[in-house]
Amino acid sequence: MSRLHREFHLIERVGWLRAAVLGANDGIVSTASLIVGVAAASQGRSEILVAGVAGLVAGAMSMAAGEYVSVSSQADTEKADLARETAELSTQPELELQELTRIYADRGVEPQLARTVATQLMAKDALGAHARDELGISAATTARPIQAAVTSALMFAGGAALPLVAAMVTPSPIVVPVVSATSIAFLALLGGVGARAGGAPLLKAIVRVTFWGGFAMALTAGVGAIFGVAA
């Protein structure tokens, strides 16, 4: 007799992984772009560092607030759907049973067996069955606003600290190429880690994140250079 085992699926990571990768990526790209843009405008070392620190703090707070608001909206929608489903289960249980039966039948289960399964699942946890199979809400994907906000803020700050430290230890004349190169390397590492954690193709993730990060820094450096010359 084979032993029972618990399978671990990567979808269980989707809530925090999305916020973590997004936060770290934005931290690296936005702070590195800001530093490169200010440096390209021929600003002094103190201005470069002040801009980097300000970008780190403001960006982390912005990420936290944005994630909290957006994920809270998702959570509100989920709660509204669950409340409506609860009311429908209370007032028209037979129609809800038919609805769940049809869902299983449409997936390929024999109609009589589909009704039997729906009946048994609703007897145990009617709302849970409808939340999972009708609404698509599960423990793995449910909205967690605080988790998303904290994860995004911390990961943004961690990502932003990398180009900021590079700028601190680099002589002013070569800040632009050094910060750009190290940030691209950090982005490549982040893309690889995110791909490995999420089970995605490694090379595709690395190319995607480094391309757009490099594009953002190049564009910002160009703007900084133009304004620096104009000044």
Side-chain angles (χ1 to χ4, degrees):
M1 180 178 179
S2 61
R3 295 193 306 172
L4 295 177
H5 69 284
R6 180 182 183 276
E7 293 184 351
F8 178 77
H9 297 285
L10 297 176
I11 191 64
E12 295 177 10
R13 300 173 175 174
V14 70
W16 64 263
L17 180 60
R18 181 191 65 84
V21 172
L22 178 63
N25 182 82
D26 279 3
I28 295 172
V29 172
S30 62
T31 305
S33 297
L34 184 60
I35 291 172
V36 167
V38 173
S42 301
Q43 296 299 312
R45 185 177 187 81
S46 60
E47 287 83 359
I48 294 172
L49 296 182
V50 168
V53 173
L56 185 156
V57 176
M61 294 301 98
S62 177
M63 285 293 295
E67 281 290 323
Y68 184 81
V69 170
S70 64
V71 179
S72 291
S73 298
Q74 178 187 341
D76 290 341
T77 301
E78 291 177 355
K79 290 177 182 178
D81 281 342
L82 290 174
R84 183 173 59 204
E85 200 65 34
T86 300
E88 292 175 350
L89 286 168
S90 176
T91 58
Q92 44 191 10
E94 180 58 33
L95 290 179
E96 290 299 300
L97 175 61
Q98 293 176 11
E99 186 174 39
L100 199 60
T101 299
R102 184 170 60 253
I103 290 173
Y104 297 145
D106 289 344
R107 293 178 182 175
V109 181
E110 191 271 331
Q112 186 57 46
L113 178 58
R115 185 175 180 86
T116 300
V117 172
T119 301
Q120 292 180 355
L121 289 177
M122 287 185 64
K124 181 178 181 180
D125 182 9
L127 181 59
H130 281 270
R132 180 179 60 254
D133 295 319
E134 180 184 350
L135 303 177
I137 299 174
S138 67
T141 59
T142 190
R144 297 182 176 87
I146 294 178
Q147 180 193 67
V150 172
T151 301
S152 290
L154 291 177
M155 294 304 295
F156 183 98
L162 299 174
L164 183 56
V165 169
M168 288 179 177
V169 300
T170 302
S172 297
I174 57 172
V175 163
V176 172
V178 170
V179 170
S180 298
T182 54
S183 297
I184 291 294
F186 292 143
L187 287 171
L189 179 61
L190 174 65
V193 171
R196 181 61 60 86
L202 192 64
L203 181 60
K204 181 179 180 181
I206 292 175
V207 170
R208 179 172 56 210
V209 72
T210 54
F211 171 79
W212 289 110
F215 178 77
M217 283 182 278
L219 184 62
T220 311
V223 172
I226 291 172
F227 278 91
V229 171

